[in-house]
């Protein structure tokens, strides 16, 4: 038998924040029929909303009247996008096809970080901030440090490393996330693409830094862990003095640590963080030193 997703309508969901329930209610009242717009997903990232449309051309909706926009603004929404993604399925977002149809293209969170409609945000931002501050205290970046931040996202870590005075380079596959990272940490250098694709540029960046700088590394990979060859590159070429690894999968973390710890690295501390309460997922911040 085939497993198929089942969509269950949950009006006024008790888990959502009130502003999310109200925004969904508003859009439900004005969105055209599916045959007219083919809207397949509603994605809300705090103050930014994206409607994913299974189409190649921008539909004429007329839904964002001045009165409707005023209602959105009254509940704190700052931007509304249509994202054209003809092959939308399991994957939420495609490449390109973003159209801002009302409001601002970016918003700021409670800590002043800029984010867009496709940004990932932690459910518990205070706890995520605590994990990052713990990594900061362990890495100890300063004006005599060179930090590489792999999978840097929208630049929350880049901002901390550059504020501490360190030379900083971030890598991230999402161009949208890096656009926000440039706003959040303008003094950091960034590379778009996978870490494996950008190894030559990372090596060139490290080689251009003067002798005597302390090499530091922060990695926050997806559930699949470090890409093939990255752990080996860390131990054979970069050789950071200290490294912080924030993992969302115990399985891939164990795999990567087995490679790192076969070299000169040892685990100084492992700190669990319950970023997703009432689920089986527990993230772990691993602090490693070069022996």
């Amino acid at each position: 038998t085939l497993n198929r997703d089942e969509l269950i309508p949950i009006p006024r969901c008790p888990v959502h924040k009130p502003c999310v329930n109200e925004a969904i209610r508003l859009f439900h009242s004005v969105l055209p029929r599916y045959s007219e717009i083919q809207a397949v997903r509603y994605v809300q990232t705090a103050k930014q909303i994206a409607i994913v449309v299974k189409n190649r051309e921008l539909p004429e909706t007329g839904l964002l009247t001045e009165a409707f926009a005023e209602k959105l603004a009254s509940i704190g929404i700052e931007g509304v996008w249509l994202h054209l993604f003809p092959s939308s399925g399991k994957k939420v977002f495609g490449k390109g096809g973003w159209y801002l149809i009302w409001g601002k293209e970016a918003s700021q969170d409670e800590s002043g970080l800029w984010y867009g409609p496709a940004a990932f945000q932690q459910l518990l931002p205070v706890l995520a901030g605590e994990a990052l501050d713990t990594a900061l205290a362990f890495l100890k970046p300063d004006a005599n440090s060179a930090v590489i931040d792999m999978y840097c996202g929208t630049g929350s870590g880049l901002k901390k490393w550059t504020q501490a005075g360190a030379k900083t380079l971030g890598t991230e596959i999402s161009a949208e996330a890096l656009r926000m990272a440039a706003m959040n940490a303008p003094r950091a250098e960034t590379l778009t693409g996978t870490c494996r694709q950008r190894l030559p540029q990372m090596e060139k960046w490290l080689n251009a830094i003067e002798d005597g700088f302390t090499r530091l590394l922060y990695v926050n990979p997806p559930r699949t862990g470090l890409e093939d060859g990255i752990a080996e590159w860390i131990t054979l070429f970069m050789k950071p003095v200290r490294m912080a690894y924030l993992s969302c999968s115990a399985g891939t973390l164990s795999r990567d640590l087995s490679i790192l710890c076969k070299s000169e690295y040892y685990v100084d501390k492992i700190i669990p963080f319950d970023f997703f309460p009432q689920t089986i997922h527990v993230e772990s911040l691993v602090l490693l030193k070069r022996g």
Side-chain angles (χ1 to χ4, degrees):
T1 59
L2 294 175
N3 291 325
R4 299 186 182 278
D5 294 332
E6 182 180 359
L7 298 178
I8 303 174
I10 310 177
R12 313 303 296 180
C13 175
V15 176
H16 286 328
K17 291 183 178 180
C19 68
V20 176
N21 275 324
E22 182 60 20
I24 291 174
R25 186 192 68 79
L26 288 171
F27 274 96
H28 184 71
S29 68
V30 299
L31 276 176
R33 292 174 298 175
Y34 178 76
S35 59
E36 297 174 27
I37 190 174
Q38 292 187 305
V40 292
R41 280 191 172 93
Y42 170 95
V43 183
Q44 183 169 344
T45 306
K47 301 174 185 177
Q48 294 282 324
I49 291 174
I51 305 295
V52 181
V53 180
K54 205 164 185 174
N55 206 328
R56 295 186 183 278
E57 297 182 0
L58 194 65
E60 291 290 340
T61 63
L63 62 90
L64 272 172
T65 63
E66 185 175 341
F68 184 69
E70 288 178 357
K71 291 179 180 178
L72 290 175
S74 71
I75 60 173
I77 304 303
E78 294 183 349
V80 177
W81 299 73
L82 285 184
H83 176 46
L84 306 187
F85 188 15
S87 58
S88 176
K90 293 287 186 181
K91 193 174 180 182
V92 177
F93 298 129
K95 294 182 179 180
W98 288 92
Y99 296 89
L100 180 68
I101 60 174
W102 174 78
K104 303 191 300 184
E105 64 177 15
S107 300
Q108 285 180 288
D109 62 18
E110 295 82 355
S111 59
L113 290 170
W114 291 96
Y115 63 90
F120 170 77
Q121 289 193 319
Q122 291 286 357
L123 180 64
L124 303 174
V126 173
L127 198 59
E130 182 182 327
L132 200 55
D133 286 339
T134 302
L136 176 68
F138 173 75
L139 293 175
K140 300 184 178 69
D142 58 25
N144 294 312
S145 302
V147 184
I148 287 184
D149 188 329
M150 294 185 181
Y151 317 95
C152 66
T154 56
S156 55
L158 297 180
K159 183 177 181 179
K160 289 188 179 292
W161 323 140
T162 56
Q163 285 179 336
K167 293 181 182 292
T168 305
L169 176 69
T171 62
E172 169 60 45
I173 194 171
S174 168
E176 166 67 16
L178 273 193
R179 192 170 66 85
M180 297 295 105
M183 297 169 64
N184 291 320
R187 286 184 289 165
E189 297 181 52
T190 56
L191 297 170
T192 309
T194 67
C195 293
R196 288 193 67 188
Q197 291 172 331
R198 296 296 171 240
L199 287 181
Q201 291 92 334
M202 286 192 278
E203 291 181 10
K204 182 178 179 180
W205 184 81
L206 287 168
N207 288 333
I209 293 174
E210 310 92 283
D211 292 338
F213 270 67
T214 302
R215 292 185 177 187
L216 305 171
L217 178 64
Y218 178 78
V219 297
N220 182 11
R223 202 165 296 280
T224 49
L226 298 177
E227 299 153 51
D228 289 344
I230 296 300
E232 291 84 355
W233 181 85
I234 292 169
T235 62
L236 297 174
F237 183 85
M238 185 184 178
K239 299 181 180 180
V241 173
R242 291 181 295 279
M243 171 183 173
Y245 183 147
L246 184 61
S247 168
C248 54
S249 168
T252 54
L253 173 62
S254 175
R255 179 202 66 198
D256 294 339
L257 288 181
S258 69
I259 298 173
L260 294 169
C261 294
K262 282 179 183 177
S263 184
E264 302 175 76
Y265 291 90
Y266 68 92
V267 174
D268 182 74
K269 189 178 291 186
I270 299 178
I271 307 168
F273 285 92
D274 192 11
F275 284 175
F276 304 97
Q278 300 183 30
T279 73
I280 62 172
H281 300 294
V282 176
E283 301 214 6
S284 302
L285 177 64
V286 184
L287 309 177
L288 299 106
K289 289 182 178 178
R290 189 173 171 214

